[in-house]
mmCIF file of all heavy atoms in Angstrom:
data_model
loop_
_atom_site.group_PDB
_atom_site.id
_atom_site.type_symbol
_atom_site.label_atom_id
_atom_site.label_comp_id
_atom_site.label_asym_id
_atom_site.label_seq_id
_atom_site.Cartn_x
_atom_site.Cartn_y
_atom_site.Cartn_z
ATOM 1 N N HIS D 1236 53.962 139.964 23.914
ATOM 2 C CA HIS D 1236 52.632 140.529 23.982
ATOM 3 C C HIS D 1236 51.843 139.929 25.154
ATOM 4 O O HIS D 1236 51.217 140.599 25.938
ATOM 5 C CB HIS D 1236 51.879 140.429 22.714
ATOM 6 C CG HIS D 1236 50.622 141.147 22.608
ATOM 7 N ND1 HIS D 1236 50.574 142.490 22.803
ATOM 8 C CD2 HIS D 1236 49.315 140.757 22.390
ATOM 9 C CE1 HIS D 1236 49.274 142.914 22.664
ATOM 10 N NE2 HIS D 1236 48.511 141.862 22.454
ATOM 11 N N ASN D 1239 52.301 141.048 28.934
ATOM 12 C CA ASN D 1239 51.689 142.311 29.332
ATOM 13 C C ASN D 1239 50.476 142.074 30.200
ATOM 14 O O ASN D 1239 50.044 142.959 30.944
ATOM 15 C CB ASN D 1239 51.215 143.074 28.060
ATOM 16 C CG ASN D 1239 52.377 143.742 27.354
ATOM 17 O OD1 ASN D 1239 53.339 144.165 27.996
ATOM 18 N ND2 ASN D 1239 52.272 143.779 26.060
ATOM 19 N N ILE D 1240 49.900 140.925 30.120
ATOM 20 C CA ILE D 1240 48.714 140.642 30.914
ATOM 21 C C ILE D 1240 48.946 140.766 32.413
ATOM 22 O O ILE D 1240 48.101 141.058 33.179
ATOM 23 C CB ILE D 1240 48.075 139.263 30.568
ATOM 24 C CG1 ILE D 1240 46.640 139.151 30.959
ATOM 25 C CG2 ILE D 1240 48.899 138.128 31.201
ATOM 26 C CD1 ILE D 1240 45.906 137.964 30.492
ATOM 27 N N THR D 1243 49.775 145.220 32.694
ATOM 28 C CA THR D 1243 48.997 146.335 32.150
ATOM 29 C C THR D 1243 47.531 146.367 32.623
ATOM 30 O O THR D 1243 47.027 145.349 33.099
ATOM 31 C CB THR D 1243 48.969 146.316 30.631
ATOM 32 O OG1 THR D 1243 48.371 145.082 30.234
ATOM 33 C CG2 THR D 1243 50.387 146.414 30.064
ATOM 34 N N TRP D 1245 44.850 146.497 30.929
ATOM 35 C CA TRP D 1245 43.925 145.655 30.200
ATOM 36 C C TRP D 1245 44.035 144.232 30.628
ATOM 37 O O TRP D 1245 43.098 143.409 30.435
ATOM 38 C CB TRP D 1245 44.096 145.756 28.690
ATOM 39 C CG TRP D 1245 45.458 145.480 28.127
ATOM 40 C CD1 TRP D 1245 46.494 146.376 27.968
ATOM 41 C CD2 TRP D 1245 46.002 144.217 27.739
ATOM 42 N NE1 TRP D 1245 47.563 145.722 27.451
ATOM 43 C CE2 TRP D 1245 47.310 144.394 27.300
ATOM 44 C CE3 TRP D 1245 45.430 142.921 27.668
ATOM 45 C CZ2 TRP D 1245 48.106 143.368 26.854
ATOM 46 C CZ3 TRP D 1245 46.243 141.884 27.210
ATOM 47 C CH2 TRP D 1245 47.592 142.114 26.787
ATOM 48 N N GLY D 1246 45.136 143.821 31.268
ATOM 49 C CA GLY D 1246 45.280 142.433 31.717
ATOM 50 C C GLY D 1246 44.592 142.291 33.085
ATOM 51 O O GLY D 1246 44.103 141.263 33.444
ATOM 52 N N LEU D 1256 38.172 139.124 26.449
ATOM 53 C CA LEU D 1256 39.597 139.256 26.828
ATOM 54 C C LEU D 1256 40.463 139.271 25.535
ATOM 55 O O LEU D 1256 41.354 140.069 25.346
ATOM 56 C CB LEU D 1256 40.061 138.167 27.751
ATOM 57 C CG LEU D 1256 41.556 138.295 28.157
ATOM 58 C CD1 LEU D 1256 41.827 139.517 28.974
ATOM 59 C CD2 LEU D 1256 42.031 137.030 28.887
ATOM 60 N N VAL D 1257 40.184 138.320 24.644
ATOM 61 C CA VAL D 1257 40.908 138.140 23.436
ATOM 62 C C VAL D 1257 40.792 139.434 22.560
ATOM 63 O O VAL D 1257 41.704 139.886 21.964
ATOM 64 C CB VAL D 1257 40.444 136.873 22.638
ATOM 65 C CG1 VAL D 1257 40.952 136.898 21.186
ATOM 66 C CG2 VAL D 1257 40.952 135.624 23.351
ATOM 67 N N GLU D 1258 39.551 139.996 22.562
ATOM 68 C CA GLU D 1258 39.356 141.257 21.824
ATOM 69 C C GLU D 1258 40.253 142.378 22.348
ATOM 70 O O GLU D 1258 40.897 143.065 21.653
ATOM 71 C CB GLU D 1258 37.914 141.672 21.875
ATOM 72 C CG GLU D 1258 37.105 141.173 20.666
ATOM 73 C CD GLU D 1258 35.607 141.289 20.899
ATOM 74 O OE1 GLU D 1258 35.191 142.250 21.656
ATOM 75 O OE2 GLU D 1258 34.862 140.514 20.331
ATOM 76 N N ARG D 1259 40.240 142.457 23.688
ATOM 77 C CA ARG D 1259 41.007 143.492 24.366
ATOM 78 C C ARG D 1259 42.534 143.269 24.097
ATOM 79 O O ARG D 1259 43.331 144.212 24.042
ATOM 80 C CB ARG D 1259 40.751 143.359 25.863
ATOM 81 C CG ARG D 1259 40.918 144.705 26.598
ATOM 82 C CD ARG D 1259 40.869 144.490 28.083
ATOM 83 N NE ARG D 1259 39.574 144.090 28.606
ATOM 84 C CZ ARG D 1259 39.379 143.510 29.802
ATOM 85 N NH1 ARG D 1259 40.460 143.238 30.569
ATOM 86 N NH2 ARG D 1259 38.245 143.261 30.258
ATOM 87 N N TRP D 1260 42.860 142.050 23.933
ATOM 88 C CA TRP D 1260 44.243 141.663 23.659
ATOM 89 C C TRP D 1260 44.675 141.876 22.195
ATOM 90 O O TRP D 1260 45.811 141.669 21.851
ATOM 91 C CB TRP D 1260 44.373 140.155 23.915
ATOM 92 C CG TRP D 1260 45.457 139.658 24.787
ATOM 93 C CD1 TRP D 1260 46.709 140.135 24.762
ATOM 94 C CD2 TRP D 1260 45.440 138.531 25.632
ATOM 95 N NE1 TRP D 1260 47.525 139.400 25.602
ATOM 96 C CE2 TRP D 1260 46.732 138.405 26.172
ATOM 97 C CE3 TRP D 1260 44.457 137.645 26.002
ATOM 98 C CZ2 TRP D 1260 47.041 137.411 27.060
ATOM 99 C CZ3 TRP D 1260 44.788 136.644 26.879
ATOM 100 C CH2 TRP D 1260 46.082 136.500 27.445
ATOM 101 N N ASN D 1261 43.723 142.272 21.372
ATOM 102 C CA ASN D 1261 43.925 142.439 19.954
ATOM 103 C C ASN D 1261 44.317 141.120 19.286
ATOM 104 O O ASN D 1261 45.130 141.096 18.359
ATOM 105 C CB ASN D 1261 45.010 143.512 19.630
ATOM 106 C CG ASN D 1261 44.532 144.944 20.019
ATOM 107 O OD1 ASN D 1261 43.331 145.121 20.066
ATOM 108 N ND2 ASN D 1261 45.442 145.801 20.214
ATOM 109 N N TRP D 1262 43.777 140.061 19.759
ATOM 110 C CA TRP D 1262 44.183 138.743 19.194
ATOM 111 C C TRP D 1262 43.048 138.039 18.483
ATOM 112 O O TRP D 1262 43.182 136.889 18.098
ATOM 113 C CB TRP D 1262 44.660 137.869 20.405
ATOM 114 C CG TRP D 1262 46.132 137.960 20.596
ATOM 115 C CD1 TRP D 1262 47.054 138.662 19.856
ATOM 116 C CD2 TRP D 1262 46.934 137.342 21.660
ATOM 117 N NE1 TRP D 1262 48.296 138.539 20.360
ATOM 118 C CE2 TRP D 1262 48.258 137.750 21.455
ATOM 119 C CE3 TRP D 1262 46.569 136.467 22.690
ATOM 120 C CZ2 TRP D 1262 49.305 137.293 22.271
ATOM 121 C CZ3 TRP D 1262 47.649 136.073 23.492
ATOM 122 C CH2 TRP D 1262 48.959 136.437 23.358
HETATM 123 C C1 LIG N 607 44.973 147.088 20.849
HETATM 124 O O1 LIG N 607 44.933 148.011 19.736
HETATM 125 C C2 LIG N 607 44.491 149.289 20.153
HETATM 126 C C3 LIG N 607 44.307 150.099 18.884
HETATM 127 O O2 LIG N 607 45.471 150.052 18.101
HETATM 128 C C4 LIG N 607 45.471 149.901 21.122
HETATM 129 O O3 LIG N 607 45.033 151.174 21.571
HETATM 130 C C5 LIG N 607 45.611 148.980 22.318
HETATM 131 O O4 LIG N 607 46.606 149.440 23.223
HETATM 132 C C6 LIG N 607 45.974 147.562 21.911
HETATM 133 N N1 LIG N 607 45.868 146.684 23.045
HETATM 134 C C7 LIG N 607 46.868 145.883 23.370
HETATM 135 C C8 LIG N 607 46.601 145.003 24.545
HETATM 136 O O5 LIG N 607 47.905 145.774 22.710
#
Side-chain angles (χ1 to χ4, degrees):
H1236 190 57
N1239 285 326
I1240 200 170
T1243 60
W1245 58 268
L1256 180 66
V1257 165
E1258 266 166 28
R1259 208 190 287 164
W1260 226 325
N1261 291 338
W1262 270 355

